[in-house]
Amino acid sequence: MSNVTVITIDGPSGTGKGTICCHLAYLMKWNFLDSGALYRVLAIAAKKNQIGNEDELELIELTNNLDVEFKMRNPESMADVLFNGKIVTDEIRTEVCGKAASVIAPIAGVRKALLTRQRAFCKEPGLIADGRDMGTVVFPNAELKIFLTASIDERAKRRFKQLKEGGISVNLRRLHREIEERDERDSGRKLSPLKPADDAIIVDTTDINVEDVIGKISKLVIDKIPNLSKRVVDYLR
Ligand code: DC
């Protein structure tokens, strides 16, 4: 594996991973990988091409040709996701797409093909990788591994607020159930289940706001990553 410095931030949905990774990657001017977005784009592409989850070979072919890019906008916003050069950020953020991604994710051939695609994001000056198995499987040699957690109640409330602000009305109890089901599927699968790496630092975000989580993680980055440029350290302080 390469010598490029990697920071992994794993955890279930609603822990603030995406916001935090985008913020850090933008300020540090490092590359960013939202691995969940790859599974989400794949789920959409499979549906458009009428490829079912049982068609493993076709799914592998689709994965090998998946053209996905991330474009950072500003430190406060999530990165835009481009699929074949077209922005699909809103399309892939729906609950339906999240569930489809979680259902396609346990397929062995898909995970194997995505491994190569994900590692291709590892380029100088460094990579911040967001997902479920970044620290355990995709980048086991990462310099800093963080695992974010938060109670399901809190995560459901955050997601509810986010959807409401985006003009989408949802039922909080249903959302809670869907998050619980997705957690069970992601943690219970045989291949690369959602779990912290043995050497991950666990940060519980239930009672901490996003600014404080960013502060906490910035401090970990400064403490644990050697040879950061002065520019990066100044930004993170
Ligand atoms: O992080 P997210 O909600 O965008 O991820 C969507 C789904 O993709 C998630 O429920 C499971 C799958 N996933 C995965 O299996 N491994 C990853 N590294 C990232 C996501």
Side-chain angles (χ1 to χ4, degrees):
M1 247 177 243
S2 77
N3 291 324
V4 177
T5 308
V6 179
I7 297 172
T8 59
I9 305 192
D10 286 303
S13 57
T15 46
K17 284 178 301 152
T19 314
I20 292 155
C21 287
C22 283
H23 184 91
L24 289 178
Y26 186 94
L27 287 186
M28 294 167 75
K29 292 198 168 61
W30 278 23
N31 298 295
F32 168 61
L33 165 63
D34 173 355
S35 58
L38 298 185
Y39 287 92
R40 285 171 185 259
V41 168
L42 185 64
I44 281 189
K47 190 162 178 244
K48 281 187 184 149
N49 288 284
Q50 297 182 332
I51 302 174
N53 282 0
E54 63 294 345
D55 299 327
E56 193 162 343
L57 287 180
E58 285 192 60
L59 285 176
I60 294 172
E61 167 101 20
L62 196 61
T63 309
N64 286 336
N65 292 305
L66 212 61
D67 171 11
V68 178
E69 267 180 276
F70 301 104
K71 284 246 154 58
M72 313 299 291
R73 283 194 274 172
N74 58 58
E76 272 72 49
S77 310
M78 299 283 283
D80 265 329
V81 181
L82 279 79
F83 173 39
N84 290 336
K86 189 176 148 245
I87 295 180
V88 292
T89 321
D90 292 340
E91 194 181 343
I92 65 162
R93 289 289 158 224
T94 64
E95 294 308 297
V96 172
C97 186
K99 181 176 177 193
S102 170
V103 169
I104 219 171
I107 301 171
V110 165
R111 292 206 84 83
K112 189 160 178 248
L114 268 181
L115 204 56
T116 320
R117 309 304 313 265
Q118 293 171 103
R119 287 184 178 150
F121 282 86
C122 186
K123 291 185 190 144
E124 295 288 357
L127 175 70
I128 307 220
D130 159 344
R132 302 286 188 290
D133 61 343
M134 299 294 99
T136 49
V137 175
V138 184
F139 302 108
N141 298 326
E143 262 76 6
L144 174 61
K145 298 179 185 176
I146 292 166
F147 192 89
L148 296 182
T149 61
S151 70
I152 296 193
D153 275 355
E154 179 60 26
R155 290 191 281 128
K157 272 191 227 149
R158 285 178 194 166
R159 185 69 181 137
F160 181 76
K161 187 168 170 265
Q162 200 181 28
L163 289 169
K164 216 169 155 196
E165 281 167 4
I168 302 167
S169 75
V170 279
N171 175 302
L172 182 60
R173 273 181 45 200
R174 187 165 155 204
L175 197 58
H176 192 287
R177 200 173 55 240
E178 282 171 1
I179 290 179
E180 218 164 13
E181 280 169 11
R182 188 131 77 92
D183 279 3
E184 274 166 25
R185 205 171 22 246
D186 293 347
S187 312
R189 66 176 180 232
K190 268 204 218 110
L191 282 175
S192 313
L194 164 67
K195 65 166 189 186
D198 291 340
D199 49 351
I201 298 170
I202 297 180
V203 178
D204 187 339
T205 73
T206 308
D207 299 314
I208 324 179
N209 66 30
V210 78
E211 288 76 25
D212 290 345
V213 181
I214 289 173
K216 211 169 177 157
I217 295 181
S218 299
K219 195 169 173 309
L220 286 172
V221 174
I222 295 172
D223 288 350
K224 308 270 178 194
I225 306 282
N227 305 324
L228 281 177
S229 71
K230 186 177 173 306
R231 178 189 63 80
V232 169
V233 174
D234 286 346
Y235 270 129
L236 292 178
R237 274 218 172 98

